[in-house]
Amino acid sequence: MAHRQSLLQYIARANVHRSGIAAAVFSSLLLLFAAASAPAQQFDLVLAGGRVMDPETGLDAVRNVGVSGGKIVRIATEPLDGTHVIDARGLVVAPGFIDLHQHGQGLDSQRLKALDGVTTALEMEIGVPDVAEFLREKQGHSLINYGTTASHVAARALAFDAPLSADVEATAPKIGLPNILPKSGPATDQPATPEQIAKMQQRLRAELDAGALGVGMGIQYTPGATRLEVIDIFRVAAERRLPVYTHLRSFGRIEPGSAIEALEEVIAASAITGAPVHVAHINSTCARDSLECLAIVDGARAHGLDITTEAYPYIAGMTVVNSAQFEGNWRERLGIDYGDLVLPATGEHLMQKRFEELHASPTPQSVLVFANTQQLVDAVIPYPGVMIASDGALGHPRNAGTYSRVLAEYVREKKTLTLIEALRKMTLLPAQMLERSTPAARKKGRVQEGADADIVVFDPATITDRATFQKPMEPSVGVRYLVVRGTVLVDQGKIVEGTFPGRAIVGPEKVGDRGR
Ligand SMILES: [Zn+2]
């Protein structure tokens, strides 16, 4: 001990005269010295002998992983001692999947997500109506990590005095999207006055103060928003150097109002304001023009813009039939017909009369929208840089099966993605996206010493989605263990009951508050 102390003093003295780099080298040597002479460490949890895969460093080798205090403390070739040891031989040990696009935030959805390998599921596309309430409700009651953007849709409803009331939640249907989208009406369809836009901006700033990770904009659900309103909302995100997550204004090929135009709108708003932009589900939003849209995203990135996107591996989307999306000549605009709309609970294909009745009803009703082809989805999922995100909500198999489906279909069967590339799309890329909102995300999406212990352990030979459009609640198989902030949530393929290790991921304002 005395020897270490004198070495420390020597380094402290030496540092005065040396460069920062030399100091860092000396400090590292000291740490090595301390580690070598310390007694064998006992970890809270050891994942032993798994194939550890980390997309950032490229590590793909058999290692032992030591976890203590919610962190990955040690990754080693030599055996590690643990209070709890999991035999991970023959299994892949990877960063837990990060889903940037999860609407279903209840425990029934979270159980499905956990069994699909997801350790963090965030509502970024639309955002929640009240960030503080969302964070309060979830604290201590969440299986996996959670977070949200500030909702432009909700801020707009408020500015029009048509808030999404909390009590609608109680009457909201069990299947489908939670109460985050308003029924179409003046608050969605009318242009806002400058005063109303100022009100929205004020509300969004308050929501960012409350811990939101950026601004969510479902522009297709607020067709009354002018191009200028969109830019003004991007400006709020830009003030805080935060990103905008967006569901584009329209899809389809008819001009004006094509998916290409809608994509150009948010690229322009990003270029004008400087706010990074993330385009939700490019597979469903650009449909038959997905590859053209991806080329446009690549072009914008190549010229210095910060724009990213994501996709889910299913040919149908899901949305609310009462929403503004289904107004006017929607069949012509969207290139789909009544029969392409299917009720998730019953499998009923809509006909005109039934559609009109549901569209006019004040009760939110989710519908599956069959607008894509398998060929197109197969081209989008492996596309470089496209993240995997589920857009999950009860009633659609993507809620339960997105991640396992990519691993089964594209890695194991079609072989259009390598395993490490698939993991990159599910872990590192979304973590890097979140780093635009909080430095805490640097500890996510990695299996590295010092990272948060959010880890999935799965069998690459058997991992498979089982949810279908007929049975969307079937959990995936193949995830053997899931660790959330150091706590085992899935043990031998089963959820551990009564444990709620999920923690909030919050934006910079809230992080700042905590430090004060
Ligand atoms: Zn969407």
Side-chain angles (χ1 to χ4, degrees):
M1 201 60 187
H3 180 65
R4 263 188 240 170
Q5 212 121 50
S6 62
L7 180 59
L8 193 63
Q9 280 160 0
Y10 166 75
I11 288 168
R13 275 198 306 277
N15 279 353
V16 175
H17 303 292
R18 284 169 204 277
S19 72
I21 292 170
V25 170
F26 269 88
S27 306
S28 309
L29 281 173
L30 179 68
L31 282 175
L32 279 175
F33 172 81
S37 59
Q41 196 174 350
Q42 175 93 12
F43 297 96
D44 297 347
L45 171 68
V46 168
L47 305 171
R51 177 183 172 192
V52 177
M53 299 185 75
D54 178 60
E56 187 169 54
T57 58
L59 176 67
D60 179 0
V62 171
R63 292 285 187 274
N64 301 304
V65 178
V67 170
S68 281
K71 299 268 177 199
I72 297 170
V73 179
R74 189 106 165 87
I75 299 175
T77 48
E78 73 269 14
L80 301 177
D81 279 346
T83 309
H84 179 40
V85 178
I86 285 173
D87 181 0
R89 284 175 300 173
L91 304 173
V92 167
V93 176
F97 307 146
I98 299 173
D99 192 344
L100 295 177
H101 191 160
Q102 175 65 23
H103 299 301
Q105 290 283 336
L107 290 177
D108 31 15
S109 284
Q110 287 198 335
R111 295 171 74 92
L112 296 173
K113 308 302 296 183
L115 293 169
D116 203 32
V118 175
T119 50
T120 299
L122 311 161
E123 166 59 86
M124 303 297 266
E125 183 205 32
I126 305 291
V128 299
D130 186 325
V131 172
E133 185 186 282
F134 172 80
L135 294 175
R136 217 171 22 245
E137 278 178 2
K138 302 213 50 105
Q139 191 172 11
H141 297 97
S142 192
L143 300 182
I144 56 181
N145 303 317
Y146 53 92
T148 181
T149 51
S151 169
H152 165 250
V153 170
R156 196 173 208 277
L158 210 59
F160 276 81
D161 277 330
L164 307 169
S165 89
D167 20 309
V168 181
E169 189 72 38
T171 60
K174 185 106 174 77
I175 290 175
L177 294 168
N179 181 38
I180 52 170
L181 295 175
K183 155 119 188 71
S184 62
T188 61
D189 297 1
Q190 285 179 9
T193 63
E195 293 72 31
Q196 284 173 317
I197 293 177
K199 253 188 177 174
M200 290 177 217
Q201 292 180 312
Q202 199 182 4
R203 170 69 180 176
L204 291 171
R205 288 187 191 107
E207 291 289 84
L208 292 171
D209 288 342
L213 292 158
V215 175
M217 294 189 81
I219 307 175
Q220 192 167 27
Y221 301 105
T222 57
T226 60
R227 303 296 188 278
L228 188 58
E229 179 178 329
V230 170
I231 292 167
D232 280 340
I233 300 305
F234 267 69
R235 284 182 173 133
V236 175
E239 284 166 11
R240 313 282 180 107
R241 298 171 187 275
L242 288 170
V244 173
Y245 288 73
T246 174
H247 174 121
L248 299 181
R249 185 182 290 276
S250 52
F251 70 84
R253 286 179 158 166
I254 294 176
E255 302 285 11
S258 70
I260 303 290
E261 183 195 53
L263 181 56
E264 286 176 345
E265 177 182 20
V266 299
I267 291 173
S270 174
I272 291 161
T273 62
V277 62
H278 180 83
V279 178
H281 49 46
I282 201 141
N283 55 302
S284 73
T285 220
C286 288
R288 288 164 294 173
D289 294 317
S290 290
L291 294 176
E292 285 75 9
C293 284
L294 285 168
I296 291 168
V297 168
D298 285 348
R301 287 178 67 84
H303 293 95
L305 291 185
D306 189 354
I307 169 166
T308 53
T309 190
E310 54 166 64
Y312 56 79
Y314 294 89
I315 59 167
M318 184 168 71
T319 190
V320 180
V321 75
N322 326 55
S323 72
Q325 190 177 125
F326 295 106
E327 270 168 24
N329 62 340
W330 62 270
R331 289 184 301 155
E332 193 191 356
R333 268 190 292 117
L334 308 181
I336 53 175
D337 212 335
Y338 298 110
D340 297 319
L341 306 182
V342 176
L343 296 186
T346 57
E348 176 189 345
H349 287 253
L350 298 190
M351 304 216 275
Q352 184 172 357
K353 186 164 173 291
R354 182 82 162 124
F355 166 83
E356 280 164 4
E357 180 186 305
L358 292 170
H359 180 64
S361 160
T363 311
Q365 169 65 58
S366 288
V367 275
L368 298 165
V369 184
F370 284 84
N372 289 5
T373 66
Q374 192 60 50
Q375 192 187 10
L376 170 106
V377 174
D378 290 351
V380 170
I381 296 297
Y383 197 94
V386 173
M387 301 174 206
I388 305 301
S390 75
D391 195 3
L394 296 177
H396 194 300
R398 67 193 179 194
N399 195 37
T402 289
Y403 293 86
S404 300
R405 186 172 179 83
V406 169
L407 295 171
E409 290 270 317
Y410 297 93
V411 177
R412 199 167 59 229
E413 276 153 42
K414 298 191 171 94
K415 297 186 170 47
T416 49
L417 263 179
T418 62
L419 182 51
I420 194 92
E421 269 312 307
L423 294 175
R424 177 187 302 277
K425 287 167 172 279
M426 300 170 175
T427 62
L428 183 66
L429 293 182
Q432 288 172 334
M433 184 64 217
L434 286 173
E435 286 170 34
R436 294 165 175 82
S437 303
T438 169
R442 288 190 206 125
K443 305 287 185 198
K444 298 288 182 198
R446 281 100 166 161
V447 175
Q448 293 171 20
E449 291 179 0
D452 290 342
D454 293 339
I455 304 169
V456 59
V457 181
F458 66 90
D459 182 349
T462 62
I463 191 163
T464 307
D465 60 302
R466 287 167 62 237
T468 62
F469 288 105
Q470 290 73 37
K471 290 189 166 180
M473 293 295 284
E474 290 297 304
S476 297
V477 291
V479 169
R480 301 289 299 280
Y481 301 93
L482 193 79
V483 179
V484 179
R485 292 299 294 261
T487 298
V488 177
L489 177 64
V490 174
D491 191 5
Q492 296 185 45
K494 300 230 159 34
I495 301 266
V496 178
E497 301 297 338
T499 179
F500 299 94
R503 295 285 176 272
I505 299 179
V506 292
E509 300 305 317
K510 196 72 179 176
V511 171
D513 282 353
R514 281 190 190 160
R516 265 175 238 146

